[in-house]
Amino acid sequence: MDTETPKDPLDASFDLITRQDAADQALGALRSDVEEVKSRLDKVSRAAARPALGDAAPASPERKGFVDGYLRHGRESELKSLTQGIPADGGYAVPREIDAAIAAQLMKLSPIRAIAQVVQVGSAGYRKLISTGGTASGWVSETGARPETASPKFAEIVPPAGELYANPSASQAMLDDAAFDLEAWLAAEIAGEFARAEGAAFVSGSGTNQPRGFLSAPTSASGDGARPFGTLQFVASGNATGLGTVIELALVDLVHALKAGHRQGAAWVMNSTTLAQVRKLKASDGSFLWQPSLMDGQPARLLGYPVVEAEDMPDVAAGAFPIAFGNFVNGYLIAERTATRILRDPYTNKPYVNFYATRRVGGQVLDSDAIKLLKIAA
């Protein structure tokens, strides 16, 4: 018959202590799990209680990083990405977004930019070569001598450039408003300033610290081939003070003074005051020379060519050039930098934050045979 051997009292006491330690460890682990669950529930409750700011879609990480980091706090890392546009430095590409918006609005506000030739340059030293004469040729017999013929001649175009700037501002309270569309506001402000300045410079700019407008080029009544390179031809209106009674004939002469190749894609340029007078002109049979557009989005036409309204063109006056006709893609060159540089200035005009934007733009007549002018003269 088996009998249970009694335990030693000392061993029994150690066994009791071991069981007590195991129970304490299990209880501590359970308390830790409970505290973690309570902490997570507390975070979820606070997030659910936070009110939403409107119904707008959440901002992208790129835009939120730009607004919080640079526009509100002025951190230099965001400044470097804004001015240089390096995607690896943050990826939000703010200069590219702003430049795209500005270019779209300049097309609408500055008509010369929309019809001229625009090139993007990387420095101020932009130059373009123009061929002013082709290679000569001649007829010879089978065994006749082949004398040397004339070689092509070149001219160099260096569009004078200037720095265009805009300096809009916003209060710090406006910048702190999360619902404020900073990019749209900034693009609209800068586009308005740039469009007004560029529109005037491309037409009548002096060429000193700004583009040289096509009306600032020298003029002559001589035809193509008889004028110096860079000189525009004008046709007199037939009246010393206004459009006169033979203006219809002068407009026809102006059209055909342009070479046939340039007439493909040519357009009239005048301001709205001059346009109001031109719209009243009639041919000998009583029909209007002005032809209104028959399709939405298509420009009205004068003698079969579209009309562009440029308010920077001069009014009808003695000695003025109120009407231009030509192919401006071939005739006028605009050279500009590819990026707009923006400097954030929160110190000069407290409590406002200024956004100082600059762009270098140049312009000059490219082919003086491609643009003709109407001069108010007898």
Side-chain angles (χ1 to χ4, degrees):
M1 181 176 180
D2 296 334
T3 59
E4 182 178 356
T5 304
K7 290 185 178 180
D8 183 63
L10 183 61
D11 293 339
S13 64
F14 279 119
D15 187 43
L16 180 62
I17 293 174
T18 301
R19 290 199 302 273
Q20 183 66 35
D21 290 341
D24 291 342
Q25 291 179 1
L27 182 59
L30 180 60
R31 289 177 178 174
S32 177
D33 292 340
V34 171
E35 291 296 332
E36 183 178 357
V37 171
K38 290 174 63 179
S39 176
R40 292 183 180 180
L41 290 175
D42 186 49
K43 291 181 179 180
V44 172
S45 299
R46 288 199 303 268
R50 186 181 297 117
L53 298 179
D55 298 330
S60 63
E62 296 82 6
R63 181 176 298 178
K64 186 176 185 301
F66 166 67
V67 173
D68 291 341
Y70 174 65
L71 296 180
R72 292 180 180 170
H73 303 289
R75 288 201 289 265
E76 291 298 326
S77 60
E78 283 78 11
L79 175 62
K80 181 182 295 185
S81 295
L82 178 63
T83 56
Q84 297 183 3
I86 302 176
D89 288 343
Y92 39 81
V94 172
R96 287 181 292 178
E97 289 186 9
I98 293 178
D99 279 348
I102 292 174
Q105 296 211 22
L106 285 176
M107 282 288 192
K108 299 174 183 178
L109 299 178
S110 181
I112 304 303
R113 170 181 287 271
I115 62 177
Q117 181 179 158
V118 181
V119 296
Q120 306 290 336
V121 298
S123 66
Y126 176 77
R127 284 166 167 78
K128 187 178 183 66
L129 290 179
I130 303 297
S131 176
T132 59
T135 303
S137 61
W139 295 97
V140 293
S141 65
E142 179 181 359
T143 58
R146 270 68 171 174
E148 182 180 356
T149 58
S151 300
K153 302 297 181 183
F154 294 94
E156 187 180 54
I157 294 294
V158 184
E163 187 171 76
L164 185 63
Y165 81 96
N167 194 25
S169 63
S171 67
Q172 186 63 52
M174 184 182 297
L175 294 177
D176 290 338
D177 187 357
F180 176 66
D181 191 351
L182 177 66
E183 289 82 2
W185 170 81
L186 182 61
E189 289 294 315
I190 296 177
E193 293 294 331
F194 284 8
R196 285 188 291 271
E198 286 188 349
F202 296 152
V203 173
S204 57
S206 64
T208 302
N209 297 328
Q210 61 182 278
R212 181 180 294 114
F214 61 88
L215 290 186
S216 298
T219 59
S220 171
S222 302
D224 296 345
R227 305 184 314 277
F229 176 77
T231 301
L232 299 183
Q233 180 185 2
F234 68 83
V235 174
S237 65
N239 187 287
T241 58
L243 296 181
T245 58
V246 294
I247 184 60
E248 301 90 346
L249 303 179
L251 293 178
V252 173
D253 292 339
L254 192 64
V255 170
H256 291 280
L258 199 66
K259 294 178 181 178
H262 289 316
R263 288 200 296 269
Q264 306 299 320
W268 300 93
V269 177
M270 63 189 78
N271 65 22
S272 57
T273 303
T274 305
L275 185 58
Q277 300 184 44
V278 171
R279 293 190 63 172
K280 302 172 186 177
L281 299 177
K282 295 183 179 181
S284 57
D285 59 355
S287 61
F288 286 95
L289 300 181
W290 174 270
Q291 300 172 359
S293 175
L294 300 179
M295 297 181 61
D296 186 25
Q298 295 297 321
R301 293 181 175 269
L302 176 63
L303 297 178
Y305 296 94
V307 179
V308 176
E309 293 187 49
E311 296 303 325
D312 298 296
M313 290 290 291
D315 294 334
V316 174
F321 298 93
I323 299 177
F325 177 75
N327 189 322
F328 284 82
V329 174
N330 298 334
Y332 193 78
L333 176 68
I334 299 173
E336 65 177 7
R337 289 295 299 268
T338 57
T340 299
R341 300 198 306 177
I342 301 178
L343 175 64
R344 182 183 187 272
D345 179 13
Y347 309 108
T348 304
N349 191 24
K350 298 176 182 177
Y352 296 95
V353 178
N354 287 73
F355 296 91
Y356 177 65
T358 59
R359 179 203 295 268
R360 278 188 286 176
V361 183
Q364 183 179 351
V365 170
L366 180 61
D367 185 353
S368 55
D369 291 346
I371 300 177
K372 306 296 180 181
L373 304 175
L374 179 75
K375 183 177 182 179
I376 304 301

